[in-house]
């Protein structure tokens, strides 16, 4: 649709230019070309229908100048050369030739534009050599050369500006697509992080509450006091879970103020181990090496790994199983692990659960090495080694 509109505008422009050029050709004062005019010496040809036809032929290619710029320039140079060579003078046909030269420079590459400029100069020189009208001085030829060069330069300038604007639009589109891709990646990463946090909080506390509730049900009739303690532990665990979930949701909601508090870390391991003991899993904490400052992200990731490992041991190890939490502080690394002597998960052939996926993501995020699987002597083990690049 844009091409048709441009062609329609060019057609109107060609008609208007033809009308003006023919009128100028027919009303031109031939006395200006006589010896007294000071511009030419020799016979000049009066305006006639044949000359008017040549003027029309010079203006006609303007209607399709955008589609075939170089071809239309050649088509316009031919009648213009004939007009000058036959003695009519080239003033009436000069305007359409300049428009066509401008079109080639504006819509075609540099090589084609240079060819168009060279053709225009050669046609001007050839027509001047054939013309019976003589007496023009070098200043007139210099002005003609400057006009042709200026029109050609204007066309090239417009083409370069158009190309520059297209490059800016393309660059803006690429930046917009890159921004959209970065936004999607950031949202996906944020959703993954939230899913990990929610799973770690919910799965751990619900697993502890389930085990405690089952123990309370078994001893409810035989030992009401123990059942009462189990129910109190369930209530305490539930309140902890609600508090942590409230903190996470409060961060997500912009219209609510979250309860500010530190994220759990390695310093909270004794409380976690004690909680697992109260839930019925015999757990022991072993710390080796001198404790060093740990980056906050690694601190949280290591705690969540131990928490998930203990939760799995509580759920799958079976009655009477024991778990050992090992923490080794090295000069450039932190080694943490959870191992038990139970029966382990029933099967490892299926797809991994959300907890194991979250552990892998956390460890990979900080460049750690993760090992998950059954132990040679029985039981199950979850172990990770985190590099501490920022450690002194």
């Amino acid at each position: 649709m844009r091409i048709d509109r441009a062609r329609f505008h060019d057609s109107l422009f060609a008609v208007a230019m033809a009308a003006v050029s023919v009128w100028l050709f027919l009303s031109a004062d031939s006395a200006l070309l006589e010896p007294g005019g000071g511009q030419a010496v020799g016979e000049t040809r009066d305006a006639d229908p044949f000359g008017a036809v040549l003027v029309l032929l010079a203006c006609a290619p303007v209607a399709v100048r955008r589609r075939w710029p170089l071809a239309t320039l050649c088509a316009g140079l031919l009648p213009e050369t004939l007009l000058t060579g036959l003695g009519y003078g080239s003033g009436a046909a000069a305007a359409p030739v300049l428009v066509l030269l401008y079109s080639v420079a504006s819509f075609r590459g540099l090589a084609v534009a240079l060819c168009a400029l060279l053709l225009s100069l050669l046609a001007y020189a050839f027509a001047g050599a054939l013309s019976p009208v003589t007496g023009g001085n070098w200043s007139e030829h210099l002005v003609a050369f400057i006009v042709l060069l200026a029109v050609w330069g204007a066309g090239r300038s417009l083409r370069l500006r158009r190309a520059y604007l297209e490059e800016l639009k393309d660059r803006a589109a690429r930046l917009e697509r890159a921004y959209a891709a970065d936004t999607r990646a950031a949202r996906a990463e944020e959703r993954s992080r939230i899913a990990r946090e929610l799973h770690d909080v919910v799965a751990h506390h619900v697993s502890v509450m389930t085990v405690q509730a089952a123990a309370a049900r078994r001893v409810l009739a035989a030992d009401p006091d123990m059942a009462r303690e189990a129910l109190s532990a369930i209530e305490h665990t539930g309140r902890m879970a609600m508090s942590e979930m409230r903190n996470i949701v409060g961060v997500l909601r912009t219209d609510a103020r979250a309860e500010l508090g530190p994220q759990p870390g390695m310093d909270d391991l004794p409380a976690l181990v004690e909680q697992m003991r109260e839930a019925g899993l015999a757990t022991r904490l072993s710390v080796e090496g001198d404790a060093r400052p740990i980056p906050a992200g690694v601190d949280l990731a290591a705690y969540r790994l131990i928490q998930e490992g203990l939760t799995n041991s509580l759920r799958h190890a079976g009655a009477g199983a024991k778990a050992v939490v090992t923490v080794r502080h090295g000069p450039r690394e932190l080694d943490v692990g959870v191992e038990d002597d139970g029966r382990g998960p029933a099967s490892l052939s299926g797809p991994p659960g959300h907890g194991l996926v979250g552990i892998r993501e956390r460890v990979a995020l900080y460049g750690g090495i993760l090992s998950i699987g059954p132990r040679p002597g029985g039981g199950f083990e979850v172990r990770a080694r985190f590099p501490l690049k920022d450690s002194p």
Side-chain angles (χ1 to χ4, degrees):
M1 189 66 183
R2 187 187 303 175
I3 296 178
D4 294 339
R5 187 181 297 113
R7 187 178 302 172
F8 175 72
H9 292 164
D10 287 342
S11 299
L12 291 181
F13 182 47
V15 170
M17 179 170 289
V20 173
S21 299
V22 170
W23 177 78
L24 291 175
F25 175 75
L26 296 177
S27 62
D29 186 4
S30 60
L32 293 176
L33 299 178
E34 294 179 356
Q39 293 186 2
V41 177
E43 296 291 336
T44 58
R45 192 164 180 172
D46 295 332
D48 55 19
F50 179 71
V53 171
L54 291 178
V55 173
L56 291 175
L57 291 177
C59 296
V62 176
V64 290
R65 65 188 182 92
R66 298 175 191 264
R67 188 170 184 181
W68 302 294
L70 185 60
T72 55
L73 175 64
C74 296
L77 285 174
L78 181 59
E80 194 270 342
T81 303
L82 290 176
L83 283 170
T84 304
L86 294 176
Y88 288 106
S90 60
V97 169
L98 294 177
V99 172
L100 295 174
L101 176 62
Y102 172 85
S103 301
V104 177
S106 177
F107 296 107
R108 289 296 181 263
L110 179 60
V112 177
L114 288 174
C115 290
L117 179 61
L118 182 60
L119 284 175
S120 300
L121 294 174
L122 291 177
Y124 175 80
F126 182 71
L130 294 180
S131 176
V133 180
T134 59
N137 53 39
W138 64 270
S139 61
E140 296 178 3
H141 302 308
L142 180 60
V143 170
F145 173 78
I146 292 176
V147 170
L148 289 174
L149 192 61
V151 170
W152 183 87
R156 293 304 303 170
S157 176
L158 179 63
R159 178 177 175 83
L160 294 177
R161 178 175 177 81
R162 191 186 299 120
Y164 176 71
L165 293 177
E166 290 297 328
E167 176 63 23
L168 288 181
K169 292 180 181 178
D170 184 65
R171 185 181 303 174
R174 290 198 304 268
L175 289 176
E176 185 175 356
R177 290 193 297 268
Y179 175 77
D182 292 342
T183 301
R184 290 193 298 269
R187 289 176 178 174
E189 174 61 25
E190 186 65 14
R191 286 196 297 268
S192 177
R193 185 189 67 82
I194 295 171
R196 288 195 301 265
E197 290 296 326
L198 287 175
H199 174 271
D200 291 340
V201 171
V202 174
H204 170 72
H205 291 295
V206 171
S207 296
V208 172
M209 293 166 63
T210 302
V211 173
Q212 291 172 333
R217 178 178 55 81
R218 288 194 297 267
V219 301
L220 181 60
D223 194 346
D225 292 335
M226 183 176 293
R228 190 178 300 107
E229 292 179 1
L231 292 175
S232 299
I234 292 173
E235 179 184 5
H236 176 68
T237 305
R239 292 183 184 278
M240 289 177 58
M242 289 299 299
S243 177
E244 292 193 38
M245 290 182 61
R246 192 180 300 113
N247 288 339
I248 296 175
V249 175
V251 172
L252 299 179
R253 297 183 58 184
T254 57
D255 57 345
R257 176 174 296 182
E259 298 179 7
L260 300 180
Q263 289 275 32
M266 302 300 290
D267 293 338
D268 300 304
L269 287 182
L272 177 63
V273 170
E274 183 63 27
Q275 184 186 37
M276 301 308 295
R277 290 172 181 166
E278 294 177 357
L281 178 65
T283 308
R284 179 170 59 89
L285 175 62
S286 174
V287 180
E288 302 176 8
D290 297 330
R292 298 169 178 269
I294 303 174
V298 175
D299 195 25
L300 176 61
Y303 176 86
R304 293 301 189 195
L305 183 142
I306 295 173
Q307 184 184 54
E308 181 64 24
L310 290 175
T311 301
N312 289 335
S313 297
L314 180 66
R315 294 170 58 187
H316 304 294
K322 298 179 181 179
V324 178
V325 177
T326 305
V327 179
R328 296 187 179 93
H329 295 277
R332 291 290 181 179
E333 65 181 18
L334 174 67
D335 191 343
V336 297
V338 177
E339 58 185 32
D340 61 61
D341 56 0
R343 62 175 181 267
S347 175
L348 294 176
S349 59
H354 295 289
L356 297 180
V357 173
I359 288 176
R360 289 193 177 96
E361 291 177 349
R362 290 181 186 277
V363 174
L365 181 62
Y366 297 101
I369 300 176
L370 178 66
S371 174
I372 300 177
R375 298 173 60 200
F380 201 76
E381 180 182 31
V382 178
R383 185 169 300 279
R385 186 168 68 249
F386 295 92
L388 302 180
K389 300 178 181 180
D390 297 332
S391 297

